[in-house]
Amino acid sequence: MALRKILGMETEFGILHRRAGESNPIAASSVLINAYINSLDKSGTASPLPRVGWDFVDETPANDARGLSLLAAMAPEVETHLVNAVLTNGARYYVDHAHPELSTPECADPLSIVLYDRAAELILVESMRQATLNLPEGEEIVVYKNNSDRKGNSYGTHENYLMDRTTPFSRVVSQVMPHFISRQLYIGAGKVGSEAIGMSSEQVPFQLTQRADFFEEEVGLETTLKRPIVNTRDEPHADAKKYRRLHVIVGDANLSQVATFLKVGTTAIVLCMVEDEYLSRTFVLANPVQAIRQVSYDLSLRRPLELDGGGTITALEMQWEYYDRARKYAEDRGLECIDQTVGEEVLRRWEHVLTALESDPMQLADQLDWVAKYRVINGYRERHDLRWNDARLAAMDLQYHDMRPTKSLFSRLGVETLVDDEDARVAMSEPPPDTRAYFRGKCLQKWADDIVAANWDSMVFDVGDDPLRRVPMMEPTRGTAAHVGSLLEQCETSAELLRRLGS
Amino acid sequence: MAERTQKQRPAPQRTEEAPIETPSKSETGEKLKAELDDLLDEIDDVLETNAEDFVKSYIQKGGE
């Protein structure tokens, strides 16, 4: 049986310090995140002080039946020179390279990812507001949820999927690669022009994705150079004997919630089918790196891609085959691996989107990023009779991703939402109830002063006289409200919690 | 899986619906065009004023 797909999303945001002369992105990112954290300190209401640093220490896996056990811990090394905070919703918010990055808490289904991705956006919006309050008059820190500066520099939006360690990685690679290439049809955030060397705006006036220009290898460990379509980073952040975390770097940052839902939902189902050996046929493309660009550059969505050993297939045909197989998988095995109800909604929307892409993609202007972006930019282009390489269209492309509510183009396009902003506001400080993020978030809400460090798979407590105590959390599906909710409520102090966990 | 031809499923639906849809489609088309016009009027006020400078100044370091 396929494992429950515990999911996560990491987003690096573009950042500008406007009207500040030379802008230093690392400093601006620190100012941005610190402003948010400080505002939580001051408010002193909903979210207590998430002043807890991130813990980079590796540890040996240690489990008990609840997945929570105690080790007398070694002193953690805490990274202090760059901001690196853990929030009470279980997320990590930090400076990565020269970008603010937010990693969602672990989520147990694709709709929960949409909720926490929206919460992440709201956290960034609030961070901008707070940061700008502290800046000299006229200056402003602005973040963009996109993946490129249009000059050849790219930053990532990564997805994470918990997988069964026993599934051979070679099978994962061969069976998921065609999905990564063909899912671009609905996950793309759209881009005016191309950043690939030698591509003119006549050749590529507009393409489906932000990221296709930047992939140069099929499989590999890199994320910053020679980016591979399938990334091999093997860092489970969980019991490494049982689990693998598939770290997916080949997606775009989506503003459309439907696109995020489909991106994570379809990929999670495909990975369940890989684990259950349910994909009877795998397409082997003759040249995946070439194919990923061919799909992204082809607005007709009809371009045939060469198969290894002869013949061709289109991205839509590949997607229909994955969909058909997923529909049958759902009938045979159910979709508990991503939640039955949510899984059925993924299938329904998947079919709807493929049908519309096949007949008239413009029907999806209220659902998919690339279509919404294309419609407004092309409409502007036609009205003003502009060429595709006009700077006004490039500016609109960037402004589509502007996170300021007053400037965001995306928010003016009437794109369908799947979660309420009110719920997302709650999710800015409340963890999901159904993964170990619950334990992390609730402990931070209650005992932030006693927690010296945290990371995905452990937390370190300082309860006074005793040595620091590390609580390993090697099971991502444990530490949920169902497992530890009443325990956390009953404990008055963190010392009591540690005592009861240890007994 | 190879034999499952996806073309059979969506295609008949489309051919049956096509004649009925045509008139309403052009109406919908008109409506969509009007909506787009309104939208373009609306966003004129929020667009970056100096597009060229803005695009030039949008420089990021690579990440990940």
Side-chain angles (χ1 to χ4, degrees):
Chain A
M1 261 316 267
L3 277 189
R4 180 75 186 213
K5 290 284 153 285
I6 302 298
L7 311 161
M9 182 89 81
E10 315 155 29
T11 307
E12 292 177 348
F13 292 82
I15 186 162
L16 281 187
H17 188 165
R18 295 179 71 132
R19 292 180 287 278
E22 194 81 346
S23 147
N24 174 343
I26 298 171
S29 300
S30 298
V31 168
L32 179 83
I33 297 171
N34 275 325
Y36 182 73
I37 306 287
N38 289 337
S39 75
L40 296 179
D41 283 2
K42 271 183 244 147
S43 77
T45 50
S47 310
L49 334 165
R51 276 257 168 242
V52 175
W54 191 258
D55 179 5
F56 292 90
V57 170
D58 290 326
E59 66 268 328
T60 26
N63 305 297
D64 72 4
R66 293 170 299 172
L68 295 166
S69 62
L70 281 180
L71 293 177
M74 37 293 180
E77 281 174 44
V78 180
E79 170 100 19
T80 50
H81 69 285
L82 287 179
V83 187
N84 208 324
V86 194
L87 305 182
T88 57
N89 72 355
R92 180 185 177 198
Y93 191 20
Y94 58 116
V95 182
D96 189 52
H97 300 277
H99 300 273
E101 172 158 350
L102 198 143
S103 302
T104 65
E106 303 90 328
C107 295
D109 68 72
L111 193 58
S112 181
I113 280 283
V114 174
L115 179 68
Y116 280 89
D117 189 55
R118 178 61 186 150
E121 292 177 3
L122 294 174
I123 288 168
L124 268 294
V125 169
E126 179 60 13
S127 302
M128 283 191 292
R129 199 178 73 81
Q130 292 293 341
T132 299
L133 287 176
N134 299 331
L135 291 172
E137 180 89 20
E139 288 184 25
E140 196 176 9
I141 289 179
V142 184
V143 296
Y144 295 82
K145 194 185 184 193
N146 62 3
N147 303 106
S148 118
D149 68 355
R150 309 187 41 81
K151 298 168 185 70
N153 299 308
S154 187
Y155 31 101
T157 301
H158 299 172
E159 305 143 58
N160 296 290
Y161 301 85
L162 190 72
M163 293 195 71
D164 190 335
R165 170 69 64 174
T166 60
T167 304
F169 193 65
S170 58
R171 190 164 86 222
V172 179
V173 171
S174 65
Q175 299 197 337
V176 83
M177 176 93 71
H179 181 60
F180 286 163
I181 290 165
S182 52
R183 71 177 191 165
Q184 291 184 97
L185 295 175
Y186 48 85
I187 70 141
K191 184 164 73 180
V192 173
S194 165
E195 290 159 277
I197 292 161
M199 280 293 163
S200 69
S201 85
E202 278 83 41
Q203 288 163 294
V204 185
F206 184 96
Q207 61 177 308
L208 305 187
T209 72
Q210 296 258 301
R211 294 274 281 168
D213 285 334
F214 302 103
F215 285 81
E216 299 173 65
E217 303 281 341
E218 292 176 33
V219 185
L221 190 57
E222 290 282 354
T223 59
T224 56
L225 293 162
K226 299 243 169 221
R227 292 180 183 87
I229 298 170
V230 180
N231 182 252
T232 56
R233 180 179 294 175
D234 189 5
E235 196 186 12
H237 296 313
D239 184 344
K241 291 195 295 290
K242 291 163 70 176
Y243 302 118
R244 174 189 304 290
R245 173 181 63 116
L246 187 68
H247 182 238
V248 177
I249 69 169
V250 73
D252 283 5
N254 290 112
L255 288 152
S256 153
Q257 296 180 6
V258 176
T260 296
F261 184 64
L262 281 173
K263 174 169 69 179
V264 176
T266 63
T267 304
I269 294 175
V270 167
L271 293 173
C272 292
M273 293 195 289
V274 172
E275 280 179 350
D276 283 341
E277 298 190 61
Y278 204 83
L279 289 167
S280 48
R281 185 173 91 125
T282 315
F283 328 95
V284 183
L285 291 163
N287 188 337
V289 174
Q290 201 175 53
I292 201 166
R293 292 188 191 180
Q294 287 171 334
V295 172
S296 187
Y297 297 168
D298 171 32
L299 295 186
S300 80
L301 316 183
R302 292 281 184 277
R303 178 170 182 147
L305 307 167
E306 279 179 39
L307 288 165
D308 191 40
T312 61
I313 190 164
T314 69
L316 262 172
E317 285 166 348
M318 283 196 272
Q319 277 298 309
W320 275 120
E321 285 213 21
Y322 276 115
Y323 169 78
D324 281 341
R325 204 62 195 159
R327 168 66 67 197
K328 191 158 184 311
Y329 177 78
E331 284 160 17
D332 281 1
R333 313 275 177 100
L335 290 170
E336 271 314 312
C337 60
I338 64 163
D339 182 279
Q340 187 64 35
T341 312
V342 176
E344 283 165 16
E345 182 63 6
V346 171
L347 288 179
R348 190 185 73 75
R349 287 187 176 270
W350 194 358
E351 178 177 26
H352 172 76
V353 158
L354 294 182
T355 306
L357 285 171
E358 202 160 43
S359 56
D360 175 14
M362 288 304 123
Q363 293 168 53
L364 298 169
D366 64 347
Q367 292 178 53
L368 301 183
D369 280 311
W370 77 261
V371 186
K373 185 190 271 187
Y374 178 84
R375 173 172 170 262
V376 67
I377 294 183
N378 191 50
Y380 189 87
R381 188 185 70 86
E382 287 179 343
R383 174 183 279 197
H384 298 281
D385 197 20
L386 305 177
R387 293 162 64 95
W388 273 106
N389 61 2
D390 193 284
R392 281 168 281 184
L393 305 186
M396 287 175 80
D397 183 346
L398 292 172
Q399 202 180 334
Y400 181 89
H401 305 271
D402 191 324
M403 293 307 293
R404 290 173 296 179
T406 51
K407 283 293 198 174
S408 161
L409 275 195
F410 166 78
S411 67
R412 288 168 166 76
L413 304 183
V415 177
E416 186 184 353
T417 57
L418 301 182
V419 296
D420 282 343
D421 265 6
E422 276 320 298
D423 294 334
R425 279 188 199 289
V426 172
M428 290 165 76
S429 56
E430 282 296 319
D434 45 6
T435 66
R436 66 183 173 191
Y438 181 82
F439 180 78
R440 183 185 310 118
K442 286 291 167 186
C443 284
L444 283 166
Q445 286 179 3
K446 216 166 165 177
W447 300 299
D449 289 346
D450 303 342
I451 298 164
V452 292
N455 64 23
W456 298 117
D457 53 23
S458 73
M459 295 183 75
V460 180
F461 289 80
D462 180 356
V463 290
D465 301 338
D466 293 336
L468 297 179
R469 306 283 296 277
R470 176 183 296 272
V471 179
M473 302 145 65
M474 304 309 286
E475 290 288 339
T477 54
R478 304 292 176 86
T480 64
H483 290 124
V484 297
S486 59
L487 174 70
L488 290 171
E489 256 173 46
Q490 287 159 18
C491 291
E492 295 268 322
T493 64
S494 63
E496 186 185 347
L497 173 74
L498 295 175
R499 214 165 36 243
R500 291 185 58 178
L501 283 172
S503 62
Chain B
M1 199 163 167
E3 312 80 60
R4 288 178 73 89
T5 53
Q6 51 81 18
K7 288 177 197 83
Q8 282 169 359
R9 188 182 351 77
Q13 225 177 348
R14 275 209 315 275
T15 20
E16 279 161 31
E17 283 172 15
I20 310 159
E21 260 184 16
T22 314
S24 73
K25 239 185 179 168
S26 71
E27 258 173 53
T28 323
E30 288 295 312
K31 191 165 158 276
L32 287 177
K33 184 156 182 337
E35 279 172 11
L36 180 59
D37 277 337
D38 290 347
L39 175 69
L40 291 172
D41 291 339
E42 186 199 317
I43 63 167
D44 255 341
D45 296 336
V46 297
L47 289 181
E48 293 284 349
T49 42
N50 195 333
E52 199 152 336
D53 284 352
F54 168 56
V55 172
K56 265 191 205 146
S57 71
Y58 190 87
I59 300 170
Q60 302 290 315
K61 297 217 161 105
E64 309 179 76

